[in-house]
Amino acid sequence: MKSSDLSRDLSPPEAFWGNPRRLFNTLLWVVLFLNVMHAFRFVYFTYTSHPVGYRLVDKFNMDGEMAVPAWFSTLLIAAAAVACVGVASRVRRAGGKGAYSWWLLAAGLFFVSLDENVSLHETLNGEVGQVVERDGIFYFGWVLIYGPLAMGLAALVLPGLWRAPRRVFWTLVAAAVVYCGGAVGVEMMSGLLLSSSADVDMTAWSYFFCVLLEENGEILGMMLMLRGLALYLTAEPESFPVSENVAPPADAQAPARRAQPAEADADPPMEGAWA
C-alpha cells in the first residue's frame, strides 16, 4: 500500500470516532459496570467485616481518587480535550471564526483531567478552610474557586460554540449542565448533608446516593460532550463555519465520495452551521 493511500485511509476522523451513537452506548455499558461494582463495594464495606479482598474491591469506589472510576473519568475528559483540539484545527483550516473558543475549551478540559487525576480540588478544601468557614453548601470549599472559574470559561467559549451546528451546540450545552450539576451542584448538596447532621457520614446510604448522583453526572456529562464533539468531527466540511474571504479547505473541494449504506444505528445527518 502506498503511503498516500495509508494517509487517506487514516485521515478521516471517522477512523477514530466511529459511530457517535455506538460510542455513547458502549460507554454506557462501562458506566453500568462501574455502578454495580461501586454498589457491591458499599454493601461489602457496610454490612460485612470485609475480611478479604477489600483493598481490591475498594478500587471501584466512585468516591475514591485512586480508583478505577476516577481513571475512567480522567480518560473521558482527556479524550474530550483532544476532540476539542481536532475541532479547533478544522475550524481554523476552514478560515472560520470561533476557533479560539475550542482551544480555550480544550485547555480547560486538559486542566480538569489533570485535576481529576491528582485531586487538586481536594487539596484546595483545606486551603479554603483557612480563609473562610467551610459549612453548609460550602463544606467542600473548592466549589468557591471552581464555580466562578467554570462560569468565566463558559462566557468566553459560548460565542464560538454558538457557530457550531444546532445539534452539536445543544448537545454540548446539555453536557455542561449535566457535568456541572453533578460536579458542583451535587457536591454542594453532599456538603450540606454532611455538615447538617452528626449522624451522617460517608458510610450512610444518603451519602452513597449523593456519590452516585455526583459521579454519574460527571461521567454522563463528559460522555454527552464526547458524543457532541464526535458528531462535529464526523460531519461534512460544509458544517464548519467558513469566512467569506477564505477559500474552503481542500477536502471540501474534493469530489464527493460514493455514498456508503448507512448503518442501522447511525445518527441522522446534521443541519448546517449557524451563520
Side-chain angles (χ1 to χ4, degrees), residues 62-140:
M62 298 189 81
D63 199 32
E65 301 301 334
M66 299 292 292
V68 175
W71 169 78
F72 178 68
S73 182
T74 300
L75 288 181
L76 288 179
I77 300 169
V82 171
C84 284
V85 171
V87 172
S89 299
R90 292 191 72 183
V91 172
R92 180 180 56 82
R93 288 200 308 269
K97 298 178 181 179
Y100 75 92
S101 294
W102 298 101
W103 289 115
L104 282 174
L105 185 56
L109 288 170
F110 274 124
F111 173 78
V112 174
S113 69
L114 172 66
D115 178 272
E116 186 73 21
N117 189 52
V118 303
S119 305
L120 177 61
H121 64 286
E122 298 291 345
T123 305
L124 288 175
N125 283 333
E127 301 299 324
V128 172
Q130 298 178 13
V131 180
V132 298
E133 182 181 1
R134 290 171 49 197
D135 193 23
I137 60 175
F138 300 121
Y139 180 84
F140 297 105

Side-chain angles (χ1 to χ4, degrees), residues 42-89:
F42 179 80
V43 172
Y44 185 64
F45 176 79
T46 305
Y47 297 104
T48 73
S49 58
H50 42 277
V52 294
Y54 173 69
R55 290 186 179 181
L56 179 61
V57 174
D58 196 46
K59 290 301 179 182
F60 289 93
N61 180 13
M62 298 189 81
D63 199 32
E65 301 301 334
M66 299 292 292
V68 175
W71 169 78
F72 178 68
S73 182
T74 300
L75 288 181
L76 288 179
I77 300 169
V82 171
C84 284
V85 171
V87 172
S89 299

Side-chain angles (χ1 to χ4, degrees), residues 15-227:
F16 177 76
W17 294 107
N19 185 299
R21 181 176 296 178
R22 179 177 297 173
L23 172 66
F24 185 85
N25 292 340
T26 302
L27 291 175
L28 274 179
W29 283 107
V30 178
V31 175
L32 177 61
F33 171 75
L34 293 177
N35 276 270
V36 170
M37 291 302 297
H38 174 70
F40 173 76
R41 176 258 171 202
F42 179 80
V43 172
Y44 185 64
F45 176 79
T46 305
Y47 297 104
T48 73
S49 58
H50 42 277
V52 294
Y54 173 69
R55 290 186 179 181
L56 179 61
V57 174
D58 196 46
K59 290 301 179 182
F60 289 93
N61 180 13
M62 298 189 81
D63 199 32
E65 301 301 334
M66 299 292 292
V68 175
W71 169 78
F72 178 68
S73 182
T74 300
L75 288 181
L76 288 179
I77 300 169
V82 171
C84 284
V85 171
V87 172
S89 299
R90 292 191 72 183
V91 172
R92 180 180 56 82
R93 288 200 308 269
K97 298 178 181 179
Y100 75 92
S101 294
W102 298 101
W103 289 115
L104 282 174
L105 185 56
L109 288 170
F110 274 124
F111 173 78
V112 174
S113 69
L114 172 66
D115 178 272
E116 186 73 21
N117 189 52
V118 303
S119 305
L120 177 61
H121 64 286
E122 298 291 345
T123 305
L124 288 175
N125 283 333
E127 301 299 324
V128 172
Q130 298 178 13
V131 180
V132 298
E133 182 181 1
R134 290 171 49 197
D135 193 23
I137 60 175
F138 300 121
Y139 180 84
F140 297 105
W142 65 265
V143 300
L144 290 169
I145 298 176
Y146 280 39
L149 287 177
M151 290 187 288
L153 179 63
L156 290 173
V157 303
L158 275 176
L161 270 56
W162 181 262
R163 301 173 186 274
R166 295 180 180 89
R167 189 177 181 189
V168 171
F169 176 78
W170 289 114
T171 300
L172 296 182
V173 169
V177 170
V178 173
Y179 183 86
C180 292
V184 179
V186 180
E187 185 86 334
M188 295 171 72
M189 184 173 66
S190 300
L192 181 62
L193 182 68
L194 289 173
S195 63
S196 63
S197 176
D199 298 329
V200 176
D201 59 21
M202 294 187 179
T203 62
W205 276 100
S206 54
Y207 186 76
F208 167 77
F209 285 112
C210 281
V211 169
L212 281 184
L213 283 174
E214 177 188 346
E215 300 302 326
N216 280 286
E218 293 180 18
I219 292 176
L220 291 176
M222 225 16 77
M223 287 168 53
L224 277 174
M225 180 166 289
L226 270 175
R227 177 169 182 175

Side-chain angles (χ1 to χ4, degrees), residues 257-271:
R257 291 177 297 179
R258 185 177 179 181
Q260 299 295 327
E263 297 186 34
D265 59 347
D267 289 283
M270 285 192 301
E271 301 179 27

